[in-house]
Every structure is written in C-alpha cells, then in structure tokens.
Amino acid sequence: MKKTIVLLVLMITSFAFSQEVIVTKIEIEGLKRTKESFLRRLVKVKPGSTYDSLKVATDVERLNRLAGIANATSKITKNSEVDYTITYTIVENFTIIPGIRVSQANNDDDVAFRVSAFEFNLFGRGQILGGFYSRDVFDSYGVFWEAPFLFTNKLGVGINYQDNVTFEPIFTDSKDISEDFRFQNRAFQASLIYEYDFHNRFELGFTIGSQDYLVQPDQPDLGLPDELEANSVGVISEYEYNDLDIEYQYVSGFRNQTNAQYIFNSGSEEFLEDAFVGTNDLEYFHRIGERGNLANRLRLSFTSNRDSPFAPFALDNQVNIRGVGNTVDRGTASVVINTEYRHTLLEKGWFVIQSNAFIDAGSWRTPGNDINQLFDGSTIRVNPGLGVRFIHKRIFNAVIRLDYGFGLGENETNGLVFGIGQFF
C-alpha cells in the first residue's frame, strides 16, 4: 500500500513538472529611441523563467508608466506546449516637450509667464533633463535631472537647482490689508530613488538653500521686518504607492504620494523657524463606459510653523482651485478635494478632444490660527467649472487644457485657467 502511494505521488509530481511552461525568448518590437537593453533590464520576466501571466501583465503596466512609451502590449507565441515566446509591442511617445504658461502677475499690473523644455526619455533610458525660465514681476529659473534607474533596475538619483523669485502678498490677521514682498528662494536638492517593487517607490535626500524676503516700497506697516534672510538645510523624503492602469488618455486605479521634509533654518528665527512640512495626495481614477473617466484627488498639507506669515501652501489656479486667481492666499495647513469627469468627444488617430466638468473645494489654516479653522467654514473655497482638453496621444503629457471655474459663497471668484499637462 505504501509503495502504491509513493508511486502515485511520484507520478503526480512528474506530471506537474513535465507541464511547466518556460519562456525561452523575449522580443521587443516598435522601438525607435528607447534602448532595448533598458527595457530588458526593467521587465521582470526573463528568458528561461517559468511563464506567469500575472508577471507579464505587470510588466506591460510597468512599460506603460514610462514617459517614453505611449502604449505597450504583449503577445504570447506557443513554440510548443512547454516553450513560449513573449513579444512586447511598443508605441513610443515623443518626449522632448516645450512648455509655456501665461497668467496675470501677482502685482495685478504685469503679465507673468513661464517657458520650459524637458526631455523625458534622455539617452532612451527613461531619464529626465530640463529646465525653466519664468517672469512673475521678477526672474526665476531652474534645472532638473532625474535618472530613476541609473544604477540598477531599482535604484537611481535625482538632482535639481532652483532660483525662484516671486512677488508675494503677505497677510496677517487682517485679511483686508497685506504687504507685498519680494521672495527669493534658492535651493539645491539631491536624492536617491528606490523602487521597492512594482507598486512602491521611495525617495530620500537633502536640500541646501537660502531664503530672502524684502518688503516692496510704499506698503502698509504690518509690524513685519523690512527684510528677512535665512539659510536652510533640510531632509526630504517621498513615498509613492502606484496602482494605476494607463491606456493613453484613460486612467484607472489609485495612487498615493506622500512628501515630507524637515527644514532647519538659521537666521530670522522669529519668523523663519525650523519646521516640518508635509503633503499627501490620494488619487482615485475610474473608467466609466467606453469614453468616460472619473478622476479624484484629496490633498492634505501641514506645516508645524503655524505662526509665521510666510506660509508654504499657496491658494491659486494652477495648484488646487481652478478659477480662484493667481496666488491669492497662503496657508499653514490645507484640505483640498478635486473631482472631475472627463469625457472623450473626439478621438482620431493621435488626436483627442475631451470635455471636463469639475468641482474644486478646499479650506486653509491661515498663519496664527488653530487647526480647527480648516473645518469652521471661514476659509472654504468651492469652485465648480467646465473645461476642454486637447490631447496628443503620441507626445508625453501633451495636454492643452482650458478650464473656467465659478466661485460660490463669500469668496466668490471666477476665472479662465490655461495649462499644459493634466491638472492632476
């Protein structure tokens, strides 16, 4: 009896092993600029490995997240019952992207603009290189380089330098009176980027910089110094959980991004003290029918330095509330909800037109107030609106958007918002 059982187990085991399917070959088609060696390093299914349909599907999703790829699909070819070939077919993006943004300057008299150029697939290896120049009363510029897979298929690096000079209204307890400052922030930042697995990504680094606040001529006296200077060193971190499925202009799934930094300031300690600054974005996308896409974002922001009038979180068109205006206020904490429905009106080859209906809502803790101000209704903004998107499916993030937001309640403001790239 024992011999029979042993023989039966051996037969079952032998049968199971005899049916194991091996991936003997991986082919990649459609590449023009992207390096094949780069993609082969990224995909987890390797020649000689056991075939796993889930791993193949995950590799396709991983390829679709790359800026250099507009769309990736896979095809399985059975060479025999235990011998498969996997073919990835790639449609590449054009990734050298110029950008321009025009708005009213913060002094309400001049025109502000920002021009930029970025390569999102440098050397065909998924690296980002670019910079910007902007004029918002004063001149600003920045340069960026990010190579998320520079060292291995999990480890990379990011480096950037920015010199931002802006014209900023500074509010105190009285919302009817403000002082206008020239704010210059110079910062060098470097970080290591680590992809733990397909869904989880970490970033850890440091920043070194300086801040300079200079009151502009002919301003009311709010009891603030005419000039403040500080040098800063900070520790920065980022965590991203990404479970998005992307098919050209359609997105489904959810993503969570957490950014946290602790800044050590030296100088002007009364107003520019050491502070923790954190932001968390939770995004959820859902396909509706063949042409619809629901998009939602919840943004929570907080800084420990609640008393300083130089608050880090801006209330403006391009960041959170469409139609509210160009940097109309700042806060030391915020809760913002953006929800919108995107519907494809026309799709012809590479060209797409989408309509957009949205509701943006948020509340701010202004300097010197407690956290319960976020929920007492005194600073809430609600802007529903309509928009249109013009999308090029073969150019990375090539979305030209026009939105018009209608303000509701006490803080009613309406306005047209122009932007390049999705709002979120």
Side-chain angles (χ1 to χ4, degrees):
M1 183 64 178
K2 291 183 178 179
K3 289 184 178 180
T4 303
I5 294 175
V6 171
L7 181 60
L8 182 60
V9 171
L10 289 175
M11 289 177 62
I12 293 173
T13 304
S14 176
F15 178 80
F17 276 102
S18 68
Q19 297 302 306
E20 188 176 75
V21 178
I22 302 299
V23 177
T24 58
K25 190 176 183 181
I26 293 178
E27 297 180 343
I28 303 178
E29 299 177 346
L31 296 182
K32 296 177 181 178
R33 296 186 63 243
T34 305
K35 300 298 183 183
E36 184 172 329
S37 59
F38 169 64
L39 298 188
R40 287 185 178 276
R41 189 171 71 169
L42 288 186
V43 296
K44 304 304 181 184
V45 178
K46 307 293 184 183
S49 62
T50 302
Y51 173 72
D52 186 327
S53 59
L54 181 59
K55 286 185 178 180
V56 174
T58 300
D59 279 342
V60 171
E61 287 188 47
R62 177 178 283 105
L63 295 176
N64 277 321
R65 290 181 187 176
L66 295 175
I69 294 179
N71 187 248
T73 57
S74 65
K75 181 179 69 175
I76 309 301
T77 302
K78 292 185 178 181
N79 304 317
S80 69
E81 290 300 319
V82 293
D83 177 2
Y84 285 7
T85 294
I86 300 176
T87 302
Y88 296 106
T89 301
I90 305 298
V91 178
E92 288 192 331
N93 271 326
F94 182 78
T95 54
I96 302 176
I97 311 300
I100 184 169
R101 189 172 74 199
V102 180
S103 62
Q104 186 180 27
N106 280 337
N107 64 2
D108 296 327
D109 296 324
D110 300 325
V111 173
F113 67 90
R114 171 185 167 120
V115 293
S116 62
F118 281 84
E119 163 62 281
F120 289 90
N121 193 21
L122 185 67
F123 307 128
R125 298 186 179 279
Q127 299 183 18
I128 301 171
L129 179 66
F132 74 87
Y133 167 78
S134 67
R135 174 80 179 176
D136 187 353
V137 183
F138 306 106
D139 298 321
S140 303
Y141 69 92
V143 290
F144 303 81
W145 176 56
E146 183 176 295
F149 306 106
L150 179 65
F151 305 119
T152 69
N153 63 357
K154 290 180 174 290
L155 185 63
V157 67
I159 296 173
N160 70 74
Y161 176 79
Q162 297 184 66
D163 187 349
N164 285 305
V165 188
T166 56
F167 184 93
E168 296 278 353
I170 300 297
F171 296 95
T172 58
D173 292 337
S174 173
K175 299 299 294 179
D176 299 323
I177 305 176
S178 66
E179 279 189 342
D180 291 326
F181 269 73
R182 175 186 182 272
F183 171 46
Q184 182 169 20
N185 181 25
R186 302 185 187 94
F188 170 82
Q189 178 178 315
S191 57
L192 288 175
I193 303 167
Y194 180 68
E195 183 182 282
Y196 177 74
D197 58 24
F198 177 60
H199 295 296
N200 297 279
R201 177 179 182 267
F202 300 90
E203 189 169 329
L204 181 64
F206 68 92
T207 180
I208 301 173
S210 64
Q211 295 82 42
D212 182 12
Y213 296 83
L214 178 65
V215 69
Q216 297 301 285
D218 303 322
Q219 298 297 306
D221 186 6
L222 299 184
L224 299 175
D226 289 339
E227 185 173 7
L228 292 172
E229 294 181 354
N231 296 316
S232 64
V233 176
V235 179
I236 59 173
S237 63
E238 179 179 328
Y239 167 67
E240 178 186 65
Y241 179 84
N242 190 331
D243 191 20
L244 297 181
D245 186 11
I246 302 171
E247 184 180 355
Y248 292 112
Q249 72 269 25
Y250 299 112
V251 184
S252 59
F254 72 93
R255 173 173 60 187
N256 192 82
Q257 294 177 295
T258 302
N259 293 276
Q261 54 183 308
Y262 197 92
I263 304 299
F264 301 89
N265 287 304
S266 59
S268 302
E269 295 178 359
E270 181 182 356
F271 295 99
L272 302 175
E273 61 187 24
D274 299 347
F276 167 83
V277 182
T279 300
N280 190 87
D281 286 342
L282 177 62
E283 301 170 353
Y284 173 72
F285 301 85
H286 181 69
R287 291 285 300 271
I288 299 177
E290 291 294 321
R291 293 175 172 265
N293 211 160
L294 184 66
N296 305 275
R297 180 180 70 172
L298 170 63
R299 168 169 286 191
L300 306 175
S301 303
F302 174 82
T303 179
S304 61
N305 187 2
R306 73 178 185 91
D307 295 322
S308 173
F310 307 101
F313 307 122
L315 169 58
D316 70 23
N317 281 323
Q318 298 292 337
V319 178
N320 35 50
I321 307 291
R322 283 163 283 190
V324 78
N326 188 34
T327 315
V328 298
D329 202 355
R330 285 188 172 272
T332 56
S334 67
V335 178
V336 179
I337 299 175
N338 309 106
T339 184
E340 65 183 37
Y341 173 72
R342 306 164 184 167
H343 190 85
T344 299
L345 300 175
L346 173 67
E347 185 168 3
K348 193 74 173 178
W350 55 265
F351 181 65
V352 175
I353 299 178
Q354 280 187 331
S355 62
N356 178 46
F358 64 86
I359 299 177
D360 295 341
S363 182
W364 273 257
R365 179 183 71 175
T366 53
N369 286 283
D370 295 326
I371 199 70
N372 59 12
Q373 188 185 25
L374 292 173
F375 311 104
D376 65 13
S378 62
T379 59
I380 192 169
R381 298 269 187 162
V382 180
N383 277 35
L386 299 171
V388 63
R389 303 284 189 273
F390 303 95
I391 302 171
H392 194 304
K393 292 167 62 176
R394 304 288 193 273
I395 301 178
F396 173 66
N397 206 25
V399 180
I400 296 175
R401 54 183 171 85
L402 292 170
D403 296 307
Y404 193 89
F406 305 86
L408 302 179
E410 296 181 3
N411 300 315
E412 179 180 342
T413 51
N414 306 325
L416 181 68
V417 183
F418 168 80
I420 296 178
Q422 283 287 9
F423 184 65
F424 65 93

